[in-house]
Amino acid sequence: MATGIGIHDGSVGDEAFKVERRGIDYVPENERWATPRNIAALWAGTSINVEYFIYGALLMGFGFSFYTALAVIIIGNVSYFLLGLASLQGPRPVRRRS
């Protein structure tokens, strides 16, 4: 059951250690629990982690300035925009023959 603020708590239809059957197939509207806000929170949470501090320290250890290291990290992350665009295609629609 979802909480009042729209966060999925995993109690509706999700069983522990259950194998995902659909993969990248179409998920019917009545089985979708995530909103764009939930997905944005998921991506933000995975993007903000300690790796960036380590990458920055390594780049600065190689002689880059702070701003150059920051630019390299940002450019590297913006490249994932292409990955996001590639994931928007979704399933191919079924065309019926007449």
Side-chain angles (χ1 to χ4, degrees):
M1 180 173 174
T3 63
I5 57 174
I7 298 175
H8 180 66
D9 65 1
S11 62
V12 177
D14 291 341
E15 298 176 26
F17 307 108
K18 181 179 173 187
V19 176
E20 175 64 43
R21 294 178 298 126
R22 287 201 172 79
I24 62 170
D25 294 336
Y26 179 79
V27 177
E29 291 286 335
N30 63 346
E31 293 184 27
R32 297 181 188 183
W33 58 266
T35 63
R37 185 179 203 171
N38 296 127
I39 295 171
L42 173 76
W43 278 91
T46 58
S47 296
I48 302 170
N49 55 42
V50 76
E51 290 176 356
Y52 296 118
F53 295 110
I54 295 170
Y55 295 154
L58 283 172
L59 289 171
M60 292 177 75
F62 288 138
F64 289 97
S65 70
F66 172 78
Y67 293 108
T68 306
L70 183 64
V72 168
I73 291 171
I74 290 172
I75 290 169
N77 284 303
V78 168
S79 67
Y80 280 99
F81 179 72
L82 296 173
L83 176 65
L85 286 177
S87 68
L88 289 177
Q89 66 188 356
R92 183 183 306 180
V94 177
R95 295 185 179 156
R96 298 177 189 231
R97 296 183 182 185
S98 313

